[in-house]
C-alpha cells in the first residue's frame, strides 16, 4: 500500500494485544524505552531519559499545533497584501511540494530509527559530527526564536481589543503559562497540546465554512461576492516595483511567506523518541502531513484571498504599523467588512489561542533539540538533567529565557518586531530543511554502500534521491533569496539584513569551528553507523503490550483517535 506522500509503508511486527500493561511498570521499560548512546564523560546521564508516552493522536496533533499558529491566521495577510490572492495561492501550492519532499526524506530515516532529536543526530552520524553540531544549534535557535515570535504575535492579536494593557504584563503571563505546561510530565504536555490543536482544526474548518457560506451570499449584506476580489483589485499585486517586475516580486514575497508559514515534518519527527510503538505511530503521523498541507495551507491561502482584498487599509494598518484596534487576522477583517457582530471577537480569541498553542509547541521542540545536543556532548552535559517524569528541565528553562526576547516590543512596534523574527525564523527553517535533505542523500548512499536493501526498511520514499535533490536545491535557494529586498536601491536596513542572513553565516562558522576543534571527518558511506540504537527500538517494538482500556468508552476512543 502506498500513502499519499509517495511513501510506501512496510510496517514491521510489534506484538500488540489487549493484555494487562504489566510491561509498562517493569524494569525493562527503562532500558527499552530509552535509547542508549554509549559511554560519555562528565556529569549527567549518558542515555536518553525521555519516556515513550506519546500516542499517535498526540504526535499528529503536536504536528498540527506546531504548524498552525499566527503564520496561518495573521502573518499570511502580509503575503496577500504584497502579492495578491493568485500569487498567494500559487506560491503556497508550489511550496507544499517542497515540504512533501522533505517529509518523504525525514519519514524514511526516522521510522527506521525513531530516537530523540532524530534528524539532528542523523546529520552527525551520517554526514559529519560538525554538520550535526551546526544542524542541532540551527534547529534549536530556529525553534527558540519562534517562542518570542508567538508571544509578540499574541500581543498583536490582543491589540484588536485594547492597547491599554502594558505589553510587559502580557509577556510575563504567557511565558509563565508556557513554563507551567512544559515542566509537567510529557503526557500532560501531550494532552494539553492535543486539545489545543484540536481547537485549531475546528477553527480552520469553521473559517473555511465561513468563506464558502459568505461568498455565496450567506452574510448580513446578502452580498454573494464570490471571487470579486480576484477581479477588483485583481489577482496579482505589484510589490516594490510596477508592471510585470512588480507582480513577480509580489509572487516572490508570497513564496517567502510560504517558506515561513508551511512546516510539518520536523515537528512530527521531534516526537519520535517519546512515541509509543514508534514504527506504528510515526508512519501515521508522517502520512497525515500530506492532508495537513493540502487542507490547512493550500485551501487556507485560497480562502484568505477570497474574503478580503489585498488593498484593504485595515490589513495594512495592522501588519505594517501595528496600529491599535486594527484586526490583524484577514478573517476578522472580513467579518467586520460584512457587518458581522460578535463573531469577530470569538474568532480573534481563537486565533489568540492558536498563537499561544504554537508557542507552546515551540518550547517543547526547542527544549528537546537542545536535550539531544547535550546527550551527544555538543551542549553542556548539565542540560541532560531530567525530572522523575522525564522532562529535560534545564533545557526547558533555557528556552524560556530566550523567550524573554519578546520584550523587544516594549520599545518597538509589535509589527516591526514580528517582521524581524519572521526573517530570522525563515532563514533558519530553510537551512533546517536543507540539512534534512542533504542528510537523506548521505543516508541513501550509506544504504547502498552497505548493501542494505530498501525493501527491508519500515518505510521507503518513492521519490527516492530525486526528492532529496529537489528539496535541497529549492530550500537553499530560498534561504538566500529571503532578505533580497535589503539589496534594492533605497531599501537597505541593518536589522532586516542581520535577521535575514545572520543564521546563514552562523551555520558555517559552527561547522568549521567544530571541525577545527574536534578534527572531525566527513563520513564515508561504507563507514556510516546505521545500527546503533536499532536493537533497542526493535526490542521495544517486540515486547510492547498494549494496556487494557479502562472502559468501553475508552476502548472506542482509543481506536478512533489513537
Amino acid at each position: 500500500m502506498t500513502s499519499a506522500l509517495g511513501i510506501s509503508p512496510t510496517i514491521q511486527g510489534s506484538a500488540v494485544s489487549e493484555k494487562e500493561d504489566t510491561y509498562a511498570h517493569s524494569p525493562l521499560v527503562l532500558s527499552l524505552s530509552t535509547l542508549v548512546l554509549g559511554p560519555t564523560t562528565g556529569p549527567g546521564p549518558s542515555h536518553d531519559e525521555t519516556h515513550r508516552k506519546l500516542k499517535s493522536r498526540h504526535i499528529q496533533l503536536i504536528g498540527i499545533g506546531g504548524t498552525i499558529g499566527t503564520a496561518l491566521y495573521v502573518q499570511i495577510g502580509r503575503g496577500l497584501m504584497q502579492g495578491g490572492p493568485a500569487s498567494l495561492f500559487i506560491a503556497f501550492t508550489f511550496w507544499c511540494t517542497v515540504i512533501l519532499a522533505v517529509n518523504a526524506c525525514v519519514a524514511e530515516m526516522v521510522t527506521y530509527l525513531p530516537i530523540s532529536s532524530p534528524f539532528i543526530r542523523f546529520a552527525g552520524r551520517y554526514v559529519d559530527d560538525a554538520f550535526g553540531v551546526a544542524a542541532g544549534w540551527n534547529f534549536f535557535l530556529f525553534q527558540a526564536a519562534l517562542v518570542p515570535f508567538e508571544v509578540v504575535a499574541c500581543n498583536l492579536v490582543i491589540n484588536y481589543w485594547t492597547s491599554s494593557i502594558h505589553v510587559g504584563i502580557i509577556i510575563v503571563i504567557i511565558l509563565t503559562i508556557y513554563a507551567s505546561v512544559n515542566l509537567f510530565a510529557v503526557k500532560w504536555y501531550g494532552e494539553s497540546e492535543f486539545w489545543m490543536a484540536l481547537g485549531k482544526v475546528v477553527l480552520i474548518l469553521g473559517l473555511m465554512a465561513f468563506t464558502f457560506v459568505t461568498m455565496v451570499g450567506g452574510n448580513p449584506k446578502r452580498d454573494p461576492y464570490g471571487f470579486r476580489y480576484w477581479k477588483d483589485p485583481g489577482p496579482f499585486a505589484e510589490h516594490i516595483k510596477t508592471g510585470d517586475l512588480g507582480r513577480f516580486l509580489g509572487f516572490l514575497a508570497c513564496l517567502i511567506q510560504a517558506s515561513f508559514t508551511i512546516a510539518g515534518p520536523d515537528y512530527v519527527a521531534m516526537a519520535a523518541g517519546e512515541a509509543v510503538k514508534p514504527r506504528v505511530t510515526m508512519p501515521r503521523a508522517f502520512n497525515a502531513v500530506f492532508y495537513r498541507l493540502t487542507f490547512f495551507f493550500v485551501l487556507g491561502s485560497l480562502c484568505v484571498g477570497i474574503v478580503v482584498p489585498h488593498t484593504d487599509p485595515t490589513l495594512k494598518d495592522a501588519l505594517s504599523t501595528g496600529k491599535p484596534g486594527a484586526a490583524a487576522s484577514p478573517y476578522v477583517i472580513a467579518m467586520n467588512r460584512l457587518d458581522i457582530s460578535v463573531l469577530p471577537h470569538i474568532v480573534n480569541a481563537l486565533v489568540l489561542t492558536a498563537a499561544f498553542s504554537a508557542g507552546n509547541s515551540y518550547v517543547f521542540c526547542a527544549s528537546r533539540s537542545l536535550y539531544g545536543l547535550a546527550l551527544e556532548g555538543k551542549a553542556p552535559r548539565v542540560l541532560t538533567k531530567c525530572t522523575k517524569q522525564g522532562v529535560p528541565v534545564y533545557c526547558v528553562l533555557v528556552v524560556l529565557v530566550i523567550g524573554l526576547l519578546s520584550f523587544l516590543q516594549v520599545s518597538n512596534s509589535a509589527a516591526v518586531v514580528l517582521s524581524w523574527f519572521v526573517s530570522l525564523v525563515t532563514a533558519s527553517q530553510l537551512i533546517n530543511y536543507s540539512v534534512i535533505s542533504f542528510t537523506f542523500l548521505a543516508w541513501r548512499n550509506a544504504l547502498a554502500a552497505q548493501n542494505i536493501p530498501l525493501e527491508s526498511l519500515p518505510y521507503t520514499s518513492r521519490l527516492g534521491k530525486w526528492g532529496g535533490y529537489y528539496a535541497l536545491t529549492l530550500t537553499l535557494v530560498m534561504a538566500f533569496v529571503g532578505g533580497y529586498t535589503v539589496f534594492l536601491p533605497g531599501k537597505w536596513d541593518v536589522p532586516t539584513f542581520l535577521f535575514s542572513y545572520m543564521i546563514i553565516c552562523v551555520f558555517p562558522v559552527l561547522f568549521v569551528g567544530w571541525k577545527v576543534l574536534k578534527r572531525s571527518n566527513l563520513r564515508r558511506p561504507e563507514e556510516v553507523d546505521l545500527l546503533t540504537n536499532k536493537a533497542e527500538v526493535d526490542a521495544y517494538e517486540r515486547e510492547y503490550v498494549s494496556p487494557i482500556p479502562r472502559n468501553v468508552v475508552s476502548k472506542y476512543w482509543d481506536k478512533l483517535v489513537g
Side-chain angles (χ1 to χ4, degrees):
M1 187 176 77
T2 303
S3 75
L5 293 172
I7 303 174
S8 55
T10 313
I11 306 299
Q12 296 180 336
S14 57
V16 179
S17 69
E18 291 295 316
K19 297 179 181 179
E20 184 176 356
D21 189 20
T22 55
Y23 166 78
H25 301 284
S26 72
L28 187 61
V29 73
L30 297 178
S31 60
L32 296 183
S33 67
T34 59
L35 305 170
V36 179
L37 298 175
T40 59
T41 59
S46 61
H47 60 277
D48 187 337
E49 290 188 334
T50 53
H51 299 172
R52 291 196 179 276
K53 295 181 180 180
L54 296 181
K55 298 181 180 179
S56 177
R57 64 187 176 95
H58 293 146
I59 296 170
Q60 294 188 42
L61 270 296
I62 284 172
I64 293 174
T67 55
I68 299 180
T70 310
L72 186 59
Y73 294 124
V74 177
Q75 197 66 20
I76 192 173
R78 183 178 294 276
L80 174 66
M81 183 174 63
Q82 295 173 335
S87 289
L88 187 70
F89 178 69
I90 295 170
F92 270 63
T93 302
F94 170 73
W95 196 252
C96 279
T97 66
V98 178
I99 301 304
L100 286 176
V102 174
N103 186 71
C105 293
V106 71
E108 181 172 301
M109 295 186 291
V110 170
T111 51
Y112 173 80
L113 194 59
I115 59 178
S116 295
S117 306
F119 55 85
I120 296 171
R121 291 160 71 181
F122 293 160
R125 284 175 60 163
Y126 302 159
V127 182
D128 187 313
D129 277 339
F131 193 65
V133 170
W137 280 102
N138 174 75
F139 185 76
F140 167 68
L141 293 173
F142 156 60
Q143 292 290 322
L146 279 166
V147 176
F149 166 82
E150 292 294 348
V151 175
V152 173
C154 286
N155 182 61
L156 187 65
V157 174
I158 291 173
N159 269 351
Y160 175 66
W161 292 303
T162 180
S163 59
S164 60
I165 304 176
H166 193 277
V167 294
I169 297 175
I170 296 174
I171 293 169
V172 170
I173 292 173
I174 294 174
L175 291 179
T176 300
I177 298 175
Y178 284 168
S180 300
V181 173
N182 282 275
L183 291 175
F184 284 118
V186 66
K187 72 172 184 177
W188 293 111
Y189 166 81
E191 288 297 331
S192 65
E193 193 60 27
F194 173 77
W195 291 107
M196 287 184 181
L198 193 61
K200 296 180 184 182
V201 175
V202 173
L203 175 58
I204 192 64
L205 291 177
L207 292 176
M208 289 178 180
F210 161 81
T211 301
F212 177 75
V213 170
T214 57
M215 71 184 292
V216 297
N219 58 72
K221 293 185 175 182
R222 301 293 190 268
D223 177 17
Y225 58 88
F227 284 84
R228 176 184 301 162
Y229 303 133
W230 284 58
K231 299 177 182 178
D232 181 22
F236 299 97
E238 296 175 345
H239 180 54
I240 301 178
K241 302 291 185 178
T242 58
D244 291 341
L245 178 58
R247 285 185 283 273
F248 171 75
L249 293 179
F251 168 76
L252 188 58
C254 290
L255 193 58
I256 294 171
Q257 180 64 47
S259 67
F260 165 74
T261 305
I262 303 174
D266 43 346
Y267 297 103
V268 173
M270 287 303 294
E274 298 174 63
V276 171
K277 295 193 301 180
R279 295 216 174 108
V280 176
T281 57
M282 295 309 295
R284 295 175 185 171
F286 281 118
N287 284 341
V289 171
F290 171 81
Y291 306 104
R292 189 182 310 146
L293 293 178
T294 303
F295 220 92
F296 297 145
F297 297 110
V298 175
L299 292 183
S301 64
L302 178 63
C303 289
V304 167
I306 290 174
V307 298
V308 66
H310 63 78
T311 55
D312 186 89
T314 305
L315 189 67
K316 183 177 181 180
D317 287 341
L319 296 178
S320 296
T321 63
K323 182 180 178 181
S329 171
Y331 295 104
V332 175
I333 293 172
M335 293 170 188
N336 288 329
R337 288 174 63 93
L338 293 170
D339 296 333
I340 298 174
S341 59
V342 182
L343 189 57
H345 297 280
I346 296 175
V347 170
N348 207 59
L350 293 175
V351 169
L352 178 61
T353 302
F356 171 84
S357 176
N360 195 40
S361 287
Y362 299 141
V363 173
F364 175 86
C365 286
S367 62
R368 267 50 180 188
S369 64
L370 183 58
Y371 180 68
L373 288 170
L375 283 173
E376 296 202 330
K378 295 163 185 174
R381 181 61 59 182
V382 68
L383 295 175
T384 60
K385 172 67 176 178
C386 287
T387 64
K388 292 181 180 180
Q389 291 76 31
V391 178
V393 57
Y394 294 143
C395 294
V396 173
L397 293 176
V398 168
V399 175
L400 292 172
V401 168
I402 293 174
L404 297 177
L405 286 172
S406 51
F407 279 98
L408 282 171
Q409 66 178 309
V410 172
S411 57
N412 296 276
S413 160
V416 172
V417 176
L418 204 65
S419 68
W420 290 347
F421 284 121
V422 166
S423 298
L424 174 63
V425 167
T426 303
S428 187
Q429 177 167 261
L430 290 168
I431 290 175
N432 180 51
Y433 290 151
S434 299
V435 166
I436 291 174
S437 305
F438 189 83
T439 302
F440 172 77
L441 296 174
W443 148 266
R444 276 296 185 97
N445 289 338
L447 290 177
Q450 299 180 32
N451 298 315
I452 298 178
L454 296 178
E455 293 74 17
S456 68
L457 303 179
Y459 250 48
T460 55
S461 168
R462 289 187 120 186
L463 300 177
K465 293 180 71 174
W466 290 110
Y469 286 122
Y470 175 70
L472 177 62
T473 301
L474 288 173
T475 51
L476 277 178
V477 169
M478 288 304 298
F480 286 94
V481 168
Y484 81 96
T485 55
V486 298
F487 301 110
L488 297 177
K491 294 292 183 178
W492 177 255
D493 180 67
V494 173
T496 301
F497 173 79
L498 291 177
F499 277 98
S500 297
Y501 295 105
M502 179 174 59
I503 195 65
I504 297 177
C505 297
V506 169
F507 189 91
V509 169
L510 288 171
F511 177 76
V512 173
W514 190 265
K515 284 191 72 68
V516 171
L517 183 65
K518 298 294 184 178
R519 300 184 182 279
S520 63
N521 297 312
L522 288 171
R523 304 193 189 281
R524 300 171 61 185
E526 58 271 19
E527 297 173 348
V528 168
D529 179 10
L530 298 174
L531 298 178
T532 299
N533 305 135
K534 185 176 183 298
E536 288 88 349
V537 177
D538 292 342
Y540 171 82
E541 291 280 335
R542 285 194 306 269
E543 299 294 332
Y544 182 84
V545 178
S546 296
I548 293 179
R550 293 186 299 274
N551 49 54
V552 175
V553 175
S554 177
K555 176 181 178 180
Y556 287 103
W557 172 253
D558 286 342
K559 286 185 177 181
L560 178 64
V561 299

